[in-house]
Amino acid sequence: MPRPFMLLLFILLCAGIAGAADLAAPGTITAVTVYPDRTAVTRTAQLTLPAGPQTVVFDPLPVTLIPTSLRVSGKGAATVRILGVELADRFSETSALPELNELRTAIDAQQWELRQTGDKMEVLASQEKFLASIESSSAGAASREVAAGKPDVAAWERTLNFVGTRLTEVKAKRLEQLKRKKEQEERLETLRKRLEAMQQQKPLEGKRASVLLDVAKGGEFGLELGYTVMQTAWTPLYTIRALPETGEAEFDLAADIRQQSGENWPNIAARLSTASPATGTAPPELRPWWLDIYQPRPRFKALREAPMEAAAMAPAAVKAEMAEDKETEQASADIVDSGLQVKFALQRPVTIPSDGVAHRFPLDHQRIAARFSYLAVPKLRESAFLHATLTNSLPYPLLPGNANLFIGPEFVGTGRIPQVPMGEEVRLGFGEDPQIVVKHEQLKREKSAPGLFGKAVRLKLSYRTTVQNLKRAAVELELRDQLPVSQNNQVEVKDVEISVPPAKRDEQGLLTWQLTLQPKEKKEILLSFTVEYPEGAIVSGL
């Protein structure tokens, strides 16, 4: 085909595209894949396309959209060639999120209710003041009647009963209105915080995408627009229940999903990915490792550069979480392993609004093997602390996140799970276990004066440590104590007696026992020693 004809065909095609009316895509969000710091969104539009050049417009799109992430695909009965996609900024005079208007309406209504409550409280206060004045005037009249010798006791009783009954009713109503006012103020504050969080999204801004199509044969066609948005995240939340009796740990994983992307995700299929796209796809490169003799800079130069260095070291501001968490009931997720990453596919469609609130969804529930042991330092605290060593036998790595820790049904505290690859171990502390009883007591502290020919004072100290296992299974316990270590050749530690030899004794005086306690078994360790020092000396540490 001659080149002039090809050029003419291209010009006509472009002119046709420019002249064709835009087709608004009634695209709905059908799926999202949430990463730790961003989300891949898929919009789907079912179109009836006529033959010829067409422009399909997706509008509005959120301002948080990453322009380089746009991708287009489709399939259907129509024969379509996708020529390209253009992205442009858009501005609207009205809010892009209808929730903003709903929140403002709710705030106005709440303020109106609060004013009504205040008016009722003012009326009740006036009634209480009026009744108090009747009570005061009645008391004055009664005093005058008594002075005149003509008291009307029946009238006094009627007045007192009326005033007492009404005052009781008014005070009860005031307390009720005061409680209602407090609840209304709390609701109003919550609504204001949600409004503030949503206003930070700059909802008047947005984007629109125009997809250029060459339709050779008209018909039904499903067009998919994919893109990535920021200001979204998911974080893991763990619940780990230690079951020392069976040598297991009950493991629950949930996800808190927050998003302020600028668009709501209604009734969508959601996946959560453990990958971090922000870390890049290429490995880091080594730079030369230079060595040199340090040369201090002149003082005047250092002083001149100090403000610049301080500015460079200033940390970036961190946005506060604006709203309280919301928990969402949901079945566990399916686990999809794609090699380089693991995805959790929620089993049911979910709705996640762009409100910055954490929406919680359970992902997995497992029981994994655990090695339990106890650590006790009775000299400092008469308690045994449970530790569990867990091997990550799950089909996915553990991401860093907070954990709620339980021993059986009892909540014992919170902890932090680090990054744990598959097959690696993690050690967790579960706090004190009251079923391991630990006692530490001083049995003797005797001070002997110097003898006839000696000049040294002798201080005899002895201690008893008792541990008992009240559980129905045997436990391993690491027990720690210590001997004093002299830092002066005039102070000596001698006559050391230990009833049960420790498994380890180091140069700093630390004693370690590795004990196995059978159910209901009690063990006792006696420790005694003598400290000698010159008469009149003050020994620190005693």
Side-chain angles (χ1 to χ4, degrees):
M1 185 178 297
R3 292 189 62 183
F5 181 78
M6 290 285 293
L7 180 60
L8 178 62
L9 180 61
F10 178 76
I11 293 173
L12 290 175
L13 179 61
C14 292
I17 292 175
D22 292 348
L23 298 177
T28 57
I29 298 176
T30 54
V32 297
T33 299
V34 187
Y35 297 93
D37 65 342
R38 62 193 63 193
T39 295
V41 180
T42 300
R43 281 180 175 266
T44 303
Q46 296 298 328
L47 305 169
T48 301
L49 297 176
Q54 305 294 337
T55 300
V56 179
V57 178
F58 289 84
D59 184 27
L61 297 176
V63 71
T64 57
L65 182 150
I66 301 175
T68 56
S69 67
L70 279 175
R71 60 195 185 280
V72 183
S73 63
K75 61 181 179 179
T79 303
V80 178
R81 187 160 59 101
I82 299 173
L83 302 180
V85 58
E86 297 176 351
L87 187 67
D89 294 328
R90 66 180 296 277
F91 298 89
S92 172
E93 296 180 358
T94 59
S95 170
L97 290 177
E99 286 79 3
L100 282 175
N101 294 328
E102 293 176 4
L103 277 175
R104 293 190 182 103
T105 302
I107 288 173
D108 291 341
Q110 194 63 58
Q111 288 175 333
W112 176 253
E113 291 183 11
L114 194 57
R115 284 195 292 270
Q116 288 182 320
T117 302
D119 293 342
K120 291 179 182 178
M121 292 183 67
E122 288 181 5
V123 172
L124 291 171
S126 300
Q127 293 179 358
E128 186 175 354
K129 186 176 180 181
F130 175 70
L131 291 171
S133 67
I134 294 177
E135 187 178 32
S136 177
S137 61
S138 299
S143 299
R144 290 191 294 272
E145 290 178 6
V146 171
K150 298 179 180 179
D152 189 349
V153 178
W156 297 351
E157 289 181 352
R158 287 193 299 272
T159 302
L160 289 175
N161 288 337
F162 169 76
V163 172
T165 301
R166 292 296 297 152
L167 271 176
T168 301
E169 293 175 355
V170 169
K171 288 180 180 293
K173 290 180 179 179
R174 282 196 67 189
L175 287 175
E176 181 182 348
Q177 293 300 322
L178 185 63
K179 180 181 178 182
R180 182 174 299 174
K181 180 182 178 183
K182 183 179 179 181
E183 293 173 349
Q184 291 171 343
E185 289 174 340
E186 290 175 352
R187 286 196 294 268
L188 181 61
E189 181 65 20
T190 300
L191 290 171
R192 283 173 173 166
K193 286 183 177 180
R194 289 186 60 193
L195 179 63
E196 183 180 355
M198 296 183 69
Q199 284 176 333
Q200 291 181 355
Q201 304 167 25
K202 299 180 180 180
L204 298 182
E205 300 179 5
K207 295 182 181 296
R208 56 179 286 167
S210 301
V211 182
L212 309 180
L213 305 177
D214 178 19
V215 183
K217 175 186 174 184
E220 300 296 322
F221 192 76
L223 190 63
E224 283 192 357
L225 178 71
Y227 52 88
T228 300
V229 294
M230 303 300 292
Q231 297 187 25
T232 71
W234 82 275
T235 54
L237 178 67
Y238 303 95
T239 298
I240 302 177
R241 198 177 305 274
L243 305 172
E245 304 280 342
T246 61
E248 294 177 304
E250 200 171 71
F251 178 92
D252 287 277
L253 172 61
D256 280 349
I257 304 176
R258 297 175 186 268
Q259 70 109 343
Q260 286 182 288
S261 65
E263 61 183 1
N264 297 323
W265 300 341
N267 199 35
I268 48 89
R271 286 189 174 191
L272 311 179
S273 175
T274 60
S276 298
T279 59
T281 58
E285 294 184 5
L286 287 173
R287 295 187 177 184
W289 185 355
W290 305 116
L291 298 180
D292 199 352
I293 302 297
Y294 172 71
Q295 298 290 340
R297 293 179 297 179
R299 181 173 177 79
F300 73 90
K301 184 177 180 182
L303 289 175
R304 186 171 65 246
E305 294 181 358
M308 295 179 63
E309 293 177 358
M313 295 173 64
V318 178
K319 291 185 178 179
E321 295 177 355
M322 299 303 301
E324 60 184 7
D325 293 353
K326 292 181 180 178
E327 185 164 354
T328 306
E329 293 293 334
Q330 183 70 26
S332 299
D334 295 326
I335 301 169
V336 182
D337 187 355
S338 59
L340 297 178
Q341 60 178 305
V342 175
K343 292 181 180 178
F344 299 93
L346 301 185
Q347 292 182 348
R348 299 176 184 173
V350 297
T351 296
I352 305 174
S354 178
D355 56 6
V357 176
H359 298 266
R360 185 164 298 168
F361 303 94
L363 299 181
D364 194 20
H365 172 83
Q366 302 274 356
R367 278 201 177 195
I368 57 178
R371 301 194 311 273
F372 294 98
S373 61
Y374 290 87
L375 173 63
V377 189
K379 180 181 178 180
L380 301 180
R381 189 178 183 90
E382 293 181 328
S383 299
F385 291 81
L386 176 63
H387 286 82
T389 301
L390 310 177
T391 300
N392 183 12
S393 57
L394 303 169
Y396 49 86
L398 301 183
L399 298 179
N402 295 325
N404 295 320
L405 303 176
F406 292 77
I407 300 178
E410 296 184 7
F411 175 72
V412 295
T414 59
R416 181 77 179 170
I417 301 293
Q419 179 88 21
V420 184
M422 290 185 289
E424 296 293 324
E425 290 186 346
V426 60
R427 181 176 169 88
L428 299 174
F430 284 83
E432 303 176 20
D433 190 339
Q435 291 190 298
I436 307 297
V437 181
V438 180
K439 296 292 183 184
H440 182 74
E441 55 186 327
Q442 187 179 74
L443 300 179
K444 183 183 294 186
R445 184 183 177 93
E446 293 180 352
K447 188 175 182 180
S448 302
L452 182 61
F453 301 102
K455 296 183 180 180
V457 176
R458 294 172 58 87
L459 180 63
K460 178 74 172 180
L461 297 168
S462 63
Y463 300 88
R464 177 169 58 203
T465 298
T466 305
V467 292
Q468 184 177 13
N469 176 22
L470 301 182
K471 291 181 168 294
R472 292 177 293 179
V475 299
E476 302 295 326
L477 173 67
E478 180 177 313
L479 183 68
R480 295 179 184 175
D481 206 337
Q482 63 183 156
L483 289 168
V485 178
S486 174
Q487 299 295 297
N488 191 301
N489 56 14
Q490 298 184 68
V491 179
E492 293 186 67
V493 180
K494 54 178 58 177
D495 302 332
V496 176
E497 296 181 4
I498 306 175
S499 63
V500 178
K504 183 179 179 181
R505 176 176 176 178
D506 64 17
E507 296 178 353
Q508 297 183 350
L510 181 63
L511 308 174
T512 304
W513 291 266
Q514 300 293 344
L515 305 177
T516 300
L517 295 175
Q518 299 299 324
K520 310 303 180 183
E521 183 181 5
K522 178 190 289 188
K523 287 188 178 181
E524 180 180 276
I525 297 176
L526 301 175
L527 173 65
S528 63
F529 53 89
T530 300
V531 180
E532 286 190 3
Y533 56 91
E535 184 180 13
I538 299 176
V539 181
S540 61
L542 291 178

